[in-house]
Amino acid sequence: MASNMALVSSGQPNAGSLSLLPTLSNEILTQIITTHAPSDTEKLNVESLFSIVNNVLNRATMTVDTVLQMQCKGPGENIAREKTLSILKKLSSYSWDAKAVLTLATLALDYGEFCLLAKIQSSDQLAKSMGTLKGVPVLLEKLKKHSQAVDDLKKVIKATVEVIKCIIDLTKLSNYAKKDVAVAVYWAIETIVASTTQLCYLITDEEKKQELGPYAGKLSVILTDLKKEKAQKEEEEGYEKLKKIFKNPKNLVEVLEKLLIDPTNQMPPLIDGSTEETVEINSLKGKSVFLFISGLHISSDDISILEPFLDKTGKEDQYRIIWIPFVKQWTEDLKKKFKTLGSKMLYVAMDYSLPISTHRYINQKWNFKFNEPLIVAFNQQGKVECKNAIHMIRVCGAEAFPFTRASEETLLMEKGLIGVTATHVHSQIENWIKEKKYIFLYGGQDNEWIQNFTNSAMVLINDPMIKEKGIFIESVPIQGDNILKRFWNKIKNLFTSRAQRETKMDSVKLHIEKLISYKKTKNEWAVLSQGSSIIVISGKTMLKVLVEFESWKQNLKEKDFQSVFIEYHNKVLVPDDQICHHMKIPYNTAKIPETMECSHCHRIMDTYISFKCCHKDGASWA
């Protein structure tokens, strides 16, 4: 047993080293790093050895509490720092965590053997004899006089074990700070050396004592720093793994496990809202899943449009919804409020903690905001089909189900911009689109302008030549606060839905941008469409074309209505309709376009970032 202690026994401490910890100068740090020359041939099962050592020390500590007995060789001549550097040189070919565990093991071997003899000597004659030969009964009397010092030793050994455990966990992670680990290993080993010195003083009954308080303080700081770094590295590593999985998913179950399961939490994360029973993630294999993420700021409007979506999904065996409610603390009132909503889907258990990396991914990659619900659509392979389906749900309800790019494109092709944003304005709009009729849709804040547009449009519609040529035209003003607000909300959500899929401007986004420009400048606006296609969007120019109908209607004898209208529109284009505008895009779940063309001059717009208080809903689109 004496040979085992030789590795960690400290020299006789001098007066200066007893009162405060030696600082790590650059010279000492360089010496520490220089000793480190890991070898591929020197491999150690660090975790297995640490588990054994930890078990020995834990049980030995329990024994010390009971019998207060130890044995140790007397101190040598070297001080703690020199001995620590010597140990590091001897263990140069081992990894940092192995150095710490091997050093701890030498202490645990003697400490544990002695405590085992002390524990069983009262009931086993051989152990009693061995204990007598090793001086156990005499040591008991000595240590009773120094019970506080023994208690301090026990605490510092426990702190050392915690630090080494954290070192082991940290070295499993990629990109950990090797310098920090090297310093932590140094202090762990020097603490073990100091603990051995203290043990030697106690069993030899000398008046000198090794001050362990500074070591305990240093270890406390180190442990705090290591835990912070461990948490940070675990989050970074988990986040990188999430990004990798989402970039090239193999299957849905793998994606959901990585996203939802926290390795430190043993409980299943999912609950079936209809039965309140736990659900295994494997049961979702072969399904398409909608991940519904929200805070508690779900408006009554959103709830009303979500209900048909929830009902439709519930009837389709191929689909499932998982609700992740972001709530800091559940109360009975909150549980009651959202019981109906949660009963129609699977949900993450209210007392379950998601991995920190998942929070980061949801916030950074999906741009989740607590005041905006988020619905991410996954296919059966775990690929994200739509980063946020809530926008298409707000525009088209469950009609755009299952909210894939293909379903959105098909819907827009069949109905067009007006068909998906203005059917609530007039009950016949959807039929007019199917019948390929021309539709004037217009609005603004100037009631006189709107009335003039209405009157001029009716003159055109009722003109005998128009009827004779079989040109069918409808005219619909958008008036009324609720109808107008709903229209612009749909415009906003459709734009956001398009923006999250593309980085370049397509025709739909270009038309939406023009409309938003007129709304932003509070100018009057009008849209002429036929079927699902937009023909032209303008304001004062559109009214001028209608007012001057007599000047161009004779051209209808030779050309079609659309060609004649566009030609004259371009001829009389009003300067106010040529002004370049700016627009603001809410930074929620949309993918902000890398570039955006001006809808009027077609130059690339400048990009700015602005912040606006969320209390004014929709203000950025006003």
Side-chain angles (χ1 to χ4, degrees):
M1 187 158 64
S3 60
N4 296 325
M5 291 304 299
L7 182 63
V8 296
S9 294
S10 165
Q12 188 76 16
N14 57 31
S17 66
L18 293 175
S19 59
L20 63 123
L21 284 171
T23 57
L24 283 184
S25 63
N26 290 335
E27 180 183 356
I28 295 298
L29 185 57
T30 300
Q31 290 183 52
I32 294 171
I33 301 299
T34 303
T35 65
H36 189 58
S39 168
D40 291 336
T41 59
E42 297 288 359
K43 295 294 183 182
L44 178 70
N45 191 331
V46 174
E47 290 188 76
S48 295
L49 179 58
F50 178 78
S51 178
I52 295 170
V53 170
N54 192 28
N55 185 56
V56 168
L57 289 174
N58 281 338
R59 297 193 177 278
T61 299
M62 293 169 57
T63 302
V64 169
D65 284 338
T66 306
V67 298
L68 290 175
Q69 293 177 341
M70 294 177 212
Q71 181 184 17
C72 181
K73 281 287 181 181
E77 296 179 355
N78 297 324
I79 61 173
R81 176 180 294 178
E82 293 173 347
K83 193 62 183 179
T84 301
L85 291 174
S86 173
I87 292 170
L88 289 172
K89 288 177 183 178
K90 289 181 181 180
L91 301 178
S92 62
S93 59
Y94 289 92
S95 61
W96 287 112
D97 54 347
K99 296 178 201 291
V101 174
L102 282 169
T103 308
L104 186 65
T106 61
L107 172 62
L109 188 63
D110 290 304
Y111 188 52
E113 180 184 351
F114 178 82
C115 291
L116 179 63
L117 289 172
K119 182 176 181 180
I120 65 175
Q121 67 167 324
S122 59
S123 58
D124 185 278
Q125 188 58 47
L126 176 60
K128 185 175 181 179
S129 300
M130 288 294 293
T132 301
L133 289 175
K134 290 180 176 288
V136 171
V138 176
L139 289 177
L140 174 60
E141 296 301 320
K142 292 180 180 180
L143 293 178
K144 281 182 180 179
K145 297 191 301 181
H146 306 295
S147 59
Q148 182 58 52
V150 172
D151 190 52
D152 292 341
L153 177 63
K154 181 180 64 177
K155 288 178 181 178
V156 85
I157 290 176
K158 181 180 179 182
T160 306
V161 171
E162 290 180 1
V163 167
I164 293 176
K165 173 64 170 66
C166 205
I167 289 170
I168 294 171
D169 292 340
L170 194 56
T171 54
K172 291 180 190 176
L173 304 173
S174 60
N175 298 323
Y176 68 89
K178 292 179 173 58
K179 179 180 176 182
D180 291 348
V181 168
V183 172
V185 168
Y186 171 86
W187 284 115
I189 293 177
E190 183 166 321
T191 301
I192 294 171
V193 171
S195 298
T196 306
T197 301
Q198 178 73 316
L199 183 60
C200 292
Y201 283 144
L202 291 173
I203 64 176
T204 56
D205 199 26
E206 293 189 27
E207 292 302 319
K208 294 180 181 179
K209 295 293 181 293
Q210 171 68 58
E211 292 294 337
L212 297 180
Y215 286 97
K218 176 65 72 174
L219 290 181
S220 177
V221 172
I222 290 173
L223 186 60
T224 299
D225 290 344
L226 289 181
K227 284 182 176 180
K228 286 181 181 178
E229 184 175 346
K230 177 189 169 188
Q232 178 186 347
K233 297 302 179 184
E234 284 177 339
E235 178 188 342
E236 290 176 359
E237 192 167 275
Y239 182 68
E240 291 302 318
K241 286 181 180 178
L242 272 180
K243 289 200 300 183
K244 185 176 180 180
I245 286 175
F246 277 111
K247 187 176 182 179
N248 187 26
K250 296 179 181 178
N251 60 74
L252 176 66
V253 171
E254 178 193 41
V255 170
L256 292 179
E257 283 179 340
K258 192 63 184 175
L259 194 67
L260 300 179
I261 295 180
D262 185 341
T264 64
N265 199 329
Q266 300 301 313
M267 64 179 290
L270 294 182
I271 305 294
D272 187 327
S274 61
T275 64
E276 296 299 317
E277 296 179 355
T278 58
V279 176
E280 294 294 331
I281 290 180
N282 281 330
S283 67
L284 299 173
K285 185 178 182 180
K287 309 287 185 184
S288 295
V289 167
F290 298 100
L291 209 60
F292 174 40
I293 306 167
S294 77
L296 298 182
H297 302 285
I298 307 177
S299 68
S300 56
D301 288 341
D302 277 340
I303 291 178
S304 65
I305 66 170
L306 281 172
E307 286 179 348
F309 161 64
L310 296 176
D311 292 339
K312 184 173 182 65
T313 308
K315 296 174 184 177
E316 301 277 351
D317 186 59
Q318 178 185 346
Y319 299 94
R320 291 289 184 272
I321 304 175
I322 299 175
W323 182 26
I324 302 179
F326 273 62
V327 182
K328 291 183 179 179
Q329 185 175 3
W330 283 100
T331 64
E332 290 304 316
D333 288 341
L334 287 178
K335 291 179 181 179
K336 184 178 180 181
K337 179 180 179 181
F338 289 94
K339 185 175 181 180
T340 303
L341 192 61
S343 66
K344 296 186 177 182
M345 51 188 148
L346 308 179
Y347 65 87
V348 173
M350 294 176 180
D351 54 349
Y352 186 84
S353 297
L354 291 172
I356 297 176
S357 56
T358 297
H359 284 258
R360 180 179 173 186
Y361 194 91
I362 290 173
N363 290 330
Q364 294 186 5
K365 289 298 183 180
W366 294 337
N367 301 320
F368 172 67
K369 308 298 178 188
F370 282 94
N371 61 335
E372 279 283 316
L374 176 72
I375 298 179
V376 185
F378 293 88
N379 64 16
Q380 297 176 8
Q381 287 72 45
K383 181 181 178 181
V384 175
E385 292 281 359
C386 181
K387 284 187 178 180
N388 195 359
I390 190 67
H391 304 292
M392 280 306 292
I393 294 175
R394 286 170 175 168
V395 176
C396 305
E399 194 173 8
F401 188 89
F403 312 107
T404 61
R405 178 172 183 168
S407 64
E408 182 177 317
E409 296 297 335
T410 300
L411 196 60
L412 284 170
M413 186 179 296
E414 292 175 353
K415 292 191 170 188
L417 176 61
I418 301 304
V420 298
T421 60
T423 51
H424 68 286
V425 176
H426 195 288
S427 60
Q428 291 300 309
I429 283 183
E430 193 166 358
N431 291 330
W432 295 340
I433 290 173
K434 291 178 181 178
E435 295 166 3
K436 303 291 184 181
K437 286 186 174 183
Y438 290 98
I439 303 173
F440 285 110
L441 193 72
Y442 52 98
Q445 296 184 351
D446 188 337
N447 291 329
E448 183 179 350
W449 186 91
I450 292 176
Q451 189 59 52
N452 288 340
F453 196 102
T454 301
N455 295 337
S456 300
M458 291 309 298
V459 170
L460 173 68
I461 292 170
N462 294 321
D463 185 89
M465 181 180 289
I466 296 292
K467 290 185 176 181
E468 181 183 333
K469 292 185 70 65
I471 301 171
F472 299 99
I473 304 173
E474 301 292 345
S475 174
V476 183
I478 299 185
Q479 294 176 299
D481 291 342
N482 290 335
I483 293 176
L484 199 58
K485 181 180 178 181
R486 188 175 175 187
F487 172 75
W488 287 119
N489 280 338
K490 287 190 173 186
I491 289 291
K492 177 190 73 171
N493 280 286
L494 182 58
F495 183 88
T496 306
S497 182
R498 304 296 291 172
Q500 70 177 325
R501 300 185 189 275
E502 302 286 349
T503 57
K504 296 181 179 180
M505 185 64 68
D506 62 12
S507 59
V508 175
K509 286 191 287 186
L510 184 62
H511 292 146
I512 294 173
E513 183 197 339
K514 285 188 175 184
L515 283 172
I516 293 170
S517 296
Y518 282 105
K519 183 178 186 294
K520 183 66 183 176
T521 56
K522 300 182 180 179
N523 287 338
E524 287 64 44
W525 57 272
V527 178
L528 173 61
S529 64
Q530 183 186 31
S532 61
S533 301
I534 299 293
I535 296 174
V536 65
I537 299 175
S538 62
K540 294 178 181 179
T541 304
M542 190 89 77
L543 177 57
K544 185 175 178 63
V545 174
L546 293 180
V547 170
E548 298 178 3
F549 173 55
E550 291 296 329
S551 300
W552 56 271
K553 79 173 185 177
Q554 294 304 319
N555 296 334
L556 293 173
K557 293 179 180 180
E558 299 178 357
K559 299 180 180 179
D560 63 272
F561 177 80
Q562 179 174 326
S563 298
V564 174
F565 192 95
I566 290 176
E567 283 178 7
Y568 197 79
H569 182 277
N570 292 339
K571 179 181 177 180
V572 298
L573 193 61
V574 176
D576 284 358
D577 281 336
Q578 292 179 296
I579 297 175
C580 295
H581 300 298
H582 71 279
M583 62 184 299
K584 295 180 181 179
I585 302 172
Y587 183 75
N588 42 37
T589 54
K591 184 176 182 180
I592 303 302
E594 294 174 1
T595 60
M596 182 176 290
E597 290 182 0
C598 173
S599 58
H600 297 279
C601 72
H602 300 290
R603 293 191 178 109
I604 299 299
M605 291 182 171
D606 289 336
T607 303
Y608 297 90
I609 297 174
S610 64
F611 296 89
K612 203 169 189 73
C613 179
C614 63
H615 291 151
K616 295 183 179 179
D617 249 347
S620 59
W621 289 82

